[in-house]
Structure formats: structure tokens, C-alpha cells
């Protein structure tokens, strides 16, 4: 269900503010509940995926999860044999994004693959549970975003 106001109306912006703040709180706490050492990753996914409608949120959430899975897969398989350098980062991003292109995934997935490779490559060497936290907390964030959108649109439709 789409909101009745235009995307830039005061009502729409106020709605977004509430969704982002309530959703971020929930995503952080759920990530912590499930044992994350990096609970900020849940709200990051929520903030990046909440859109004006539930359909747009779900579409972007799916792309984020697919890109995250590809990025983690590439990095975990290959990066353990590499030092953290800009050249190796570039090579990993090249491989990961070409895999996404080969799978005919869109540009939003390519961006998610690149971001995931960057962060997993940089942080997994410092914190061995980063990749697992990244996947779990991405799922927490996108599922929380979908839930917030569903509840919010249900409340709007009752008006």
C-alpha cells in the first residue's frame, strides 16, 4: 500500500523519520540478542533499504541480501590467502562484481557486492566473526525494514 502523500511531503518525511528511528532501534537490539559483536550492521541495512513503499523496500532488501551473500562468499573463499592492500581489494571487487554481472544482477547488487567485499576484507582480519555478523545482521536489518513497512502501511490504511 502506498502512502497517500507525495514522497517529499512533510507527512512522508515524518513517516520516514519514525520508520528509521524505530526500525534502527529494533534492528540493533535484535542483532545484539542474536549475539552480534557488530550490532550497528542491522540498522545499516535497515537505513539503506527502507523506501517509500513496502514493495520497494522488499525489492531493495532482496538485492542487498544477494549482494551481501556474493561479497561474503568471494571474500571468505579468496581473501584468507591475501594481505589487506588496495590492490587486493580492487581484485576482489573486480571478481565479485563480474560474478554479479555474469548472473545478470542489477547495479544495486553490484554496489552491495563491492561494499560487502570492502568491509569483510578490511574487518575480518581484525574480528574473525565479522563476516557472520555481517550476514546475520543484514538479514535482521532487512527483515526489520519489511516488518516496519508492513506495520506502518497497515496503520496508514486504517486511517
Amino acid at each position: 500500500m502506498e502512502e497517500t502523500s507525495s514522497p517529499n511531503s512533510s507527512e512522508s518525511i515524518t513517516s520516514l523519520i519514525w520508520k528509521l528511528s524505530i526500525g534502527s532501534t529494533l534492528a540493533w537490539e535484535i542483532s545484539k540478542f542474536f549475539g552480534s559483536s557488530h550490532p550497528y550492521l542491522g540498522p545499516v541495512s535497515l537505513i539503506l533499504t527502507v523506501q517509500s513503499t513496502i514493495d520497494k523496500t522488499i525489492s531493495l532488501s532482496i538485492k542487498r541480501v544477494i549482494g551481501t551473500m556474493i561479497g561474503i562468499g568471494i571474500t571468505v573463499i579468496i581473501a584468507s590467502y591475501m594481505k589487506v592492500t588496495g590492490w587486493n581489494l580492487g581484485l576482489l571487487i573486480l571478481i565479485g562484481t563480474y560474478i554479479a554481472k555474469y548472473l545478470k544482477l542489477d547495479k544495486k547488487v553490484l554496489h552491495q557486492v563491492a561494499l560487502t567485499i570492502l568491509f569483510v576484507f578490511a574487518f575480518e582480519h581484525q574480528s574473525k566473526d565479522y563476516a557472520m555478523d555481517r550476514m546475520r545482521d543484514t538479514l535482521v536489518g532487512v527483515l526489520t525494514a519489511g516488518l516496519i513497512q508492513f506495520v506502518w502501511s497497515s496503520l496508514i490504511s486504517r486511517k
Side-chain angles (χ1 to χ4, degrees), residues 70-137:
I70 293 170
I72 288 173
I74 294 300
T75 309
V76 169
I77 292 168
I78 299 173
S80 61
Y81 303 102
M82 305 171 107
K83 289 184 178 181
V84 179
T85 68
W87 292 103
N88 287 337
L89 171 65
L91 179 61
L92 289 170
I93 289 174
L94 185 69
I95 293 167
T97 52
Y98 260 101
I99 288 171
K101 180 182 187 253
Y102 175 78
L103 295 172
K104 298 183 180 354
L105 301 170
D106 72 11
K107 289 180 183 178
K108 290 183 181 184
V109 176
L110 292 173
H111 285 274
Q112 293 307 315
V113 169
L115 278 172
T116 299
I117 289 171
L118 166 63
F119 288 121
V120 173
F121 187 53
F123 294 135
E124 188 69 12
H125 287 77
Q126 300 166 9
S127 169
K128 291 298 176 197
D129 56 352
Y130 183 83
M132 180 57 102
D133 283 355
R134 176 79 183 214
M135 191 67 246
R136 180 190 50 241
D137 297 345

